Amino acid sequence: MYDFAIVGGGIVGLSTGMAIFQRFPNAKVVLIEKEAAVAQHQTGHNSGVIHSGIYYKPNSLKARYARQGNQSMKEFCLEHGIDHDICGKVIVATKQEEIPLLDNLYQRGLENKLKIRRVGPDELKDMEPHVNGHGAIVVPQAGIVDYRQVSEKFASLIEEHGGEIALNTKVEKIYEESDEVTIESSRGSFKARFMINCAGLHSDRVALAAGYKTDMKILPFRGEYYKLKPEKRYLVNNLIYPVPNPKFPFLGVHFTRMIGGEVEAGPNAVLSFKREGYKKTDFDARDLAEALTYSGLWKMAGKFAKEGLEEYVRSFSKKRFTKSLQELIPEIREEDLIPAPAGVRAQAIKNDGNMVDDFQVIYGKRTIHICNAPSPAATASIEIGREVVKRLPKLTNLKETALIV
Ligand SMILES: Cc1cc2nc3c(=O)[nH]c(=O)nc-3n(C[C@H](O)[C@H](O)[C@H](O)COP(=O)(O)OP(=O)(O)OC[C@H]3O[C@@H](n4cnc5c(N)ncnc54)[C@H](O)[C@@H]3O)c2cc1C
């Protein structure tokens, strides 16, 4: 019998495993992952940005955990020698009409207690000489890292503490009883006193398998990227973002210098026909049927018809993708861009068609379900793990140590 079973070996499941050992150093823990290695889905296909928390509603979980997570992620990387760079980013108003939106975002950043600066076009040019902008916010706290590397370190720390990582093991059924949880998988069953669902793109299905019917469903949104040809990397110094549409939950195509030196451009956001569908042609009958018969999808499509269509056009037309990027850097040409691997975001959508904006966790009797952990959950992962573990009840035969918060 395990004390804790974690479903999902992405950055959130792994950080939860680490946090368990910080509180219960002698716990018996198993982390169950269906793939042959950790960090194979959202965690291994993201932009690699250590976000600051500027965008999020003050006091929301996203705002709090991103701000604290920004700090804890940097500390973790320093402590474990993981390559990262707190290079800062600029959020740019490319048209005069965007200045009021930029100023609103600046105010939000101040409310989120961030030390940021509002700069004019000249100072912006000093920082990013190729960017066209009427003004910008400088966010010095933002940085870059490889979250796959961070996750591998989390995994090795779990194993050092005696935790088991069961790879190639897909969770299929869950029976939550009064004193234990039985988890049936493709490789036999596990019994644990508590289970934490960190299944990302499948978190709603895992919750349902445990008997938790929610008023939301995970829909997969593919984010497609290009990268700049090596000889064009000089066009981007660090991280260059547009002012986001405040009504749309995605940040808009941007430029990201990656920790390995490449420069990525993207991502857009289109509904994927498969939950883990990284190519345009990827298709899964069950995933697609579930999405298309979900009333929340159609209600959402009604709200974002214009934005959704633009995302699709950008997906199929490199010319249109380039045009969006040219708003930030007019010198970019179609031939400067090479296709790069895509990622798929897990976004919870409610039955009424609204996107679940904040992180969402359901606390059951013996199971906990992290049902919505989209961006900036990689940045915030250490904080999410700590918070979940803080809420675990005391277990009688387990010695606790002070949880570092
Ligand atoms: C394109 C893109 C760009 C992003 N950019 C950033 C960024 O720059 N900064 C940032 O902070 N965040 C970013 N994010 C968000 C961030 O990557 C995610 O929020 C985070 O990785 C979520 O981690 P997770 O562990 O919840 O999910 P995942 O990494 O998806 O892990 C879930 C795991 O559960 C496993 N699993 C699922 N079902 C089962 C089952 N039945 N049995 C066993 N295992 C199962 C899966 O195989 C998977 O490994 C981005 C995301 C995307 C997609």
Side-chain angles (χ1 to χ4, degrees), residues 42 45 201 217-224 248-250 267-278 296-297 300-301 304 308 311-312 342-349 355 374:
Q42 296 177 89
H45 289 90
L201 283 151
K217 186 179 279 297
I218 293 288
L219 291 182
F221 289 92
R222 192 173 48 253
E224 293 153 333
F248 202 52
F250 305 117
N268 61 354
V270 292
L271 184 73
S272 169
F273 298 156
K274 185 177 177 192
R275 289 205 181 191
E276 289 155 0
Y278 297 98
L297 168 69
M300 182 196 68
F304 295 115
E311 296 291 337
Y312 266 101
V344 182
R345 309 171 184 87
Q347 174 63 52
I349 308 292
M355 300 208 179

Side-chain angles (χ1 to χ4, degrees), residues 19 62 69 134 162 208 213 226 229 293 398:
K62 274 189 178 176
H134 290 257
L208 197 59
K213 205 167 176 220
Y226 287 94
K229 280 184 175 166
T293 53
L398 284 181

Side-chain angles (χ1 to χ4, degrees), residues 205-345:
R205 288 179 178 162
V206 172
L208 197 59
Y212 289 84
K213 205 167 176 220
T214 62
D215 65 343
M216 58 197 176
K217 186 179 279 297
I218 293 288
L219 291 182
F221 289 92
R222 192 173 48 253
E224 293 153 333
Y225 292 90
Y226 287 94
K227 57 185 175 191
L228 293 193
K229 280 184 175 166
E231 60 273 27
K232 291 289 174 174
R233 288 182 191 160
Y234 72 90
L235 292 172
V236 174
N237 282 336
N238 292 305
L239 309 173
I240 306 168
Y241 282 63
V243 182
N245 172 350
K247 294 195 199 103
F248 202 52
F250 305 117
L251 299 180
V253 289
H254 47 265
F255 292 94
T256 314
R257 176 166 65 79
M258 308 297 279
I259 199 70
E262 294 189 324
V263 175
E264 283 196 348
N268 61 354
V270 292
L271 184 73
S272 169
F273 298 156
K274 185 177 177 192
R275 289 205 181 191
E276 289 155 0
Y278 297 98
K279 295 199 284 284
K280 284 189 183 55
T281 48
D282 279 348
F283 160 88
D284 178 276
R286 176 186 174 196
D287 290 353
L288 184 60
E290 257 188 37
L292 293 181
T293 53
Y294 182 49
S295 61
L297 168 69
W298 298 106
K299 290 179 189 154
M300 182 196 68
K303 291 180 213 241
F304 295 115
K306 183 170 160 272
E307 292 86 351
L309 188 67
E310 272 170 27
E311 296 291 337
Y312 266 101
V313 172
R314 263 206 293 250
S315 172
F316 285 96
S317 162
K318 187 176 179 190
K319 195 170 170 191
R320 288 294 286 270
F321 205 106
T322 313
K323 209 165 164 236
S324 303
L325 294 171
Q326 281 169 337
E327 287 183 18
L328 286 166
I329 301 188
E331 283 166 67
I332 291 280
R333 295 285 167 266
E334 240 180 282
E335 56 274 20
D336 301 338
L337 301 168
I338 315 164
V344 182
R345 309 171 184 87

Side-chain angles (χ1 to χ4, degrees), residues 184-212:
E184 287 187 0
S185 80
S186 55
R187 290 197 159 187
S189 75
F190 299 82
K191 279 193 186 298
R193 295 159 82 194
F194 287 93
M195 188 205 88
I196 302 126
N197 161 13
C198 308
L201 283 151
H202 296 278
S203 56
D204 55 343
R205 288 179 178 162
V206 172
L208 197 59
Y212 289 84

